[in-house]
Amino acid sequence: MSTTTIKPQGYETKPVDYFGVERQEMLPFVPAYCRRVLDVGCGAGAFGELLKQTRKIEVWGVEPVTTAALKASAKLDRVINSPFGPETDLPAGTFDCVVFNDVLEHSFAPEEALRYAKSLLSPVGAILASIPNIRNFPILWNLLFHGRWEYTDCGLLDKTHLRFFTKSSIVRMFQDEGYSLQSICGINAYVGLPNASRSLWSAYKLANTLFLGKFADMKFQQFAVVAKAAPPL
């Protein structure tokens, strides 16, 4: 099996609603010119269906979990029930956008997935990715003050995550794979911290202000990335 393949382990035991998240917050990042989109790890097709409802657009999906792929096939233009990799045999150079909504962190080799995705992009094509941010204040608070690093069924410490990223490591990964970042934006910000005092959260905001925004990234659960293939040197 190619190391490029994205075939998440343990997904078959996920609850049904895990595959049905719409991800409305990612819609504004899909470039306006897109006419054909590939949604990698499309789940039950909720994001693609929402995209088709709001835009005149063709949406393909790739989903390795058969039960989810069957649901997606009723919503999208075409769904391939397969891991994502060269063996998927997708048409090269035809997609205006390849979407990875919280998918790359489930791969042993996300760099190779990005490399393959580049071959699928049209001349104006872009990659859109939502990637969890491990430099997240609640995660670090639990680690530093309570010594806890506890995996969960979903979220930033999803037990099926194989890779962890910060904003800087996301930027480096895309650049190393020959992409030019068009934008990287924090999404799904925390506005408070469960089970922590207000004074602690206030201290974080004060520290961020005093250090001129150096810790601003710590309030975001994910980063939304838009990237295009960099022109050859």
Side-chain angles (χ1 to χ4, degrees):
M1 182 182 295
S2 168
T3 55
T4 307
T5 300
I6 291 183
K7 185 178 182 180
Q9 301 299 312
Y11 261 34
E12 292 79 5
T13 61
K14 293 286 190 183
V16 174
D17 57 0
Y18 185 91
F19 300 98
V21 181
E22 289 184 335
R23 299 305 303 273
Q24 294 188 37
E25 73 276 21
M26 295 299 292
L27 288 179
F29 296 100
V30 178
Y33 57 77
C34 286
R35 292 297 174 264
R36 180 183 287 175
V37 168
L38 175 65
D39 188 1
V40 179
C42 66
F47 177 73
E49 182 181 38
L50 190 61
L51 191 56
K52 288 175 66 64
Q53 290 172 350
T54 56
R55 304 261 291 270
K56 187 176 181 181
I57 202 165
E58 180 182 350
V59 181
W60 291 32
V62 175
E63 175 53 53
V65 178
T66 301
T67 52
L70 287 173
K71 292 181 180 180
S73 64
K75 304 171 186 176
L76 309 184
D77 296 284
R78 182 177 177 185
V79 175
I80 301 170
N81 180 201
S82 167
F84 178 73
E87 63 272 28
T88 314
D89 197 27
L90 291 158
T94 60
F95 296 99
D96 298 322
C97 188
V98 176
V99 178
F100 296 96
N101 279 337
D102 284 14
V103 167
L104 293 172
E105 65 276 10
H106 296 276
S107 172
F108 281 113
E111 301 87 354
E112 294 188 15
L114 290 176
R115 205 172 304 158
Y116 172 57
K118 190 188 297 184
S119 71
L120 305 177
L121 294 176
S122 70
V124 296
I127 299 292
L128 171 59
S130 167
I131 303 177
N133 171 34
I134 203 61
R135 196 174 118 104
N136 175 260
F137 183 61
I139 296 293
L140 297 181
W141 180 77
N142 280 320
L143 178 63
L144 295 175
F145 289 93
H146 296 286
R148 292 202 301 260
W149 180 276
E150 298 173 352
Y151 287 96
T152 55
D153 291 329
C154 61
L156 297 182
L157 291 180
D158 188 319
K159 63 183 66 174
T160 60
H161 287 182
L162 301 176
R163 295 283 295 269
F164 296 93
F165 296 93
T166 64
K167 182 179 181 180
S168 62
S169 66
I170 291 170
V171 171
R172 184 170 61 253
M173 177 176 66
F174 275 86
Q175 291 177 340
D176 287 348
E177 292 307 318
Y179 285 93
S180 173
L181 263 70
Q182 308 298 296
S183 65
I184 178 166
C185 303
I187 56 174
N188 295 322
Y190 275 103
V191 294
L193 184 61
N195 303 319
S197 67
R198 290 184 179 180
S199 60
L200 181 59
W201 185 247
S202 297
Y204 157 71
K205 293 193 290 184
L206 176 61
N208 187 51
T209 300
L210 293 175
F211 285 87
L212 303 178
K214 186 174 180 61
F215 307 123
D217 61 306
M218 292 173 65
K219 68 181 178 181
F220 297 112
Q221 295 184 65
Q222 295 123 323
F223 286 100
V225 181
V226 180
K228 291 188 174 185
L233 298 176

